Amino acid sequence: MKKSITRLDLNLLMTLRLILQEGSVSKAAKILNVTPSTVSKSLNKLRDWFDDPLFVKTQRGLVPTPMVQSMEPDLLEWLQIGQQILDKRSDESAKGINFHLMVESPLLLTMLNNLLPKIHSRYPDAKVKTSNWDYDALDAIIRGDADLGFTGRESHPRSKESLDLLPYFIDFEVIFSDLPVVYLRADHPALQGPWDLDQFLSFPHISTLWEKSEMWALDEVLCDLGRQREIALTTSSFEQSLFMAAQPNHHLITTAPNYCQRYTALMHPDLICLPIPLARHHQDKLLIPYTMIWHKRNTRNAKVMWLRETIKSLYGDTQV
């Protein structure tokens, strides 16, 4: 017999979404600020309503049944439509708008000058929070602590940072692509000889930690060629690596995204850049797709939709 929706507490659907998102009753309870027992009771009500176990307990957490998997797109859309209705309350709602962006640095520094005026033109009283993209940034987006991430992902087939490896509940859109280059001082001795792979590898390198890893696609390509860099210094950001490369009295060089030229022109004008001396088919494996990343629950969120379109209009198919 068909059940009437009027007999279903629609708040239970929010609980269902959180259990699906977190894969855990206790984690869903923490977000809802209730006890796990309360969430378990809600889950039992949902199981009775749908006449389905909904989730199966495994060592990896709660795994959704085929019914829940089939419901997920509709559930997400229903919740987003509800949020859009709330967003239309009045202009008063716009006064409380908060944005939290997690952006790779120094891309963040080169973006904000153009993005902030757009945000404050649309939402005059908006509060904007920015954080550097780091190893736990994706978790912040998943938890709902951040609205949007903007960062580079690797295209090398063996990379652990490939777009193909993002969780299924994460949406993304590539805005532009960037080919990393070499940064070194204008008086660096590397410029005194032919710029080839031997010259590139004959000097010590500054490496930049990327999501807890000291190695990136360049090291994979070099490994395939039977070569490797001598890494003399590891820093935690591109700003640090570029700052150190610009200092006198050493022979260190570094690699960083091509877009950093705008940053170095302002902060380190003595740095120049050269291409990484590899054949074109090897360079193609180093291409970095700069990508907006958000949770599927925000796909139709009016604020996030506006932010995505604004970033795309500012930076789409161009280098920042």
Side-chain angles (χ1 to χ4, degrees), residues 5 16 32 34 41 45-46 62 65 76 84 95 108 132 171 185 187 192 213 225 235 253 262 272 276 291-292:
I5 194 172
L16 178 62
L32 291 168
V34 298
K41 290 176 181 177
K45 290 178 182 178
L46 287 163
L62 295 179
T65 65
L76 178 64
Q84 289 179 57
K95 292 182 179 179
L108 172 63
N132 288 341
D171 273 345
R185 294 191 321 273
D187 63 351
Q192 296 174 7
S213 176
L225 296 172
T235 63
I253 63 177
R262 182 174 175 184
I272 66 169
I276 297 175
T291 309
M292 290 190 298

Side-chain angles (χ1 to χ4, degrees), residues 72-279:
E72 184 178 12
D74 294 330
L75 180 63
L76 178 64
E77 184 173 0
W78 181 80
L79 292 169
Q80 292 299 335
I81 290 172
Q83 184 60 54
Q84 289 179 57
I85 292 172
L86 293 177
D87 287 344
K88 295 179 184 295
R89 288 179 301 171
S90 68
D91 290 339
E92 290 300 312
S93 63
K95 292 182 179 179
I97 289 290
N98 294 316
F99 290 92
H100 185 189
L101 291 77
M102 308 199 77
V103 185
E104 174 185 311
S105 189
L107 177 59
L108 172 63
L109 301 177
T110 58
M111 277 182 62
L112 279 180
N113 194 45
N114 292 327
L115 182 59
L116 275 178
K118 294 282 187 181
I119 291 176
H120 288 133
S121 175
R122 174 65 179 83
Y123 300 102
D125 298 310
K127 291 180 172 35
V128 181
K129 177 181 178 181
T130 63
S131 301
N132 288 341
W133 183 273
D134 57 23
Y135 67 91
D136 63 353
L138 190 59
D139 285 340
I141 291 174
I142 294 170
R143 292 193 306 267
D145 294 340
D147 298 307
L148 186 75
F150 194 17
T151 187
R153 309 297 290 183
E154 290 188 339
S155 56
H156 190 281
R158 292 200 299 272
S159 173
K160 295 180 180 179
E161 306 306 328
S162 166
L163 289 171
D164 293 336
L165 298 180
L166 287 172
Y168 74 93
F169 44 78
I170 291 293
D171 273 345
F172 65 87
E173 182 174 3
V174 175
I175 302 301
F176 65 90
S177 293
D178 186 296
L179 194 62
V181 292
V182 182
Y183 291 86
L184 67 171
R185 294 191 321 273
D187 63 351
H188 198 285
L191 301 174
Q192 296 174 7
W195 184 244
D196 55 21
L197 188 58
D198 288 335
Q199 187 81 329
F200 173 62
L201 296 177
S202 64
F203 292 92
H205 285 234
I206 305 169
S207 183
T208 302
L209 278 177
W210 183 250
E211 306 229 354
K212 287 188 170 181
S213 176
E214 296 184 22
M215 304 298 178
W216 63 289
L218 171 62
D219 298 291
E220 294 281 0
V221 171
L222 291 174
C223 182
D224 291 340
L225 296 172
R227 309 291 295 272
Q228 66 179 24
R229 298 183 294 160
E230 176 197 346
I231 298 176
L233 174 66
T234 299
T235 63
S236 61
S237 69
F238 290 126
E239 289 103 318
Q240 292 177 4
S241 67
L242 292 166
F243 174 83
M244 293 306 302
Q247 302 310 302
N249 304 320
H250 67 72
H251 293 165
L252 296 168
I253 63 177
T254 193
T255 55
N258 190 43
Y259 77 74
C260 290
Q261 287 190 65
R262 182 174 175 184
Y263 171 78
T264 57
L266 294 172
M267 304 300 295
H268 305 296
D270 290 337
L271 285 181
I272 66 169
C273 72
L274 294 172
I276 297 175
L278 290 167

